[in-house]
Amino acid sequence: MRIENEMLSRFNNLEKSEINMNATLSQELDFFFDNVMNTVVDYFKEEVTV
């Protein structure tokens, strides 16, 4: 019983860390794509004015 509880505890901790990691990855991707889109928009703005 003690081993089962420890395994369940580790599994729950692993799930929580995966959720946090996915949230962090999602935030990183959002940040990356926001920067890419801003760079693309700035590039075309400059091309139009030149």
Side-chain angles (χ1 to χ4, degrees):
M1 188 69 164
R2 187 171 145 203
I3 293 173
E4 289 176 353
N5 286 338
E6 186 174 334
M7 289 176 69
L8 285 173
S9 175
R10 286 184 182 188
F11 180 73
N12 286 336
N13 289 339
L14 181 63
E15 276 191 332
K16 287 177 186 175
S17 69
E18 283 181 1
I19 290 170
N20 290 338
M21 190 166 51
N22 286 339
T24 303
L25 180 60
S26 176
Q27 291 169 349
E28 289 292 324
L29 287 173
D30 287 345
F31 181 71
F32 172 76
F33 285 116
D34 284 345
N35 283 336
V36 168
M37 291 308 296
N38 287 339
T39 303
V40 169
V41 168
D42 289 343
Y43 174 77
F44 283 109
K45 281 182 180 175
E46 290 174 9
E47 286 297 308
V48 170
T49 58
V50 170

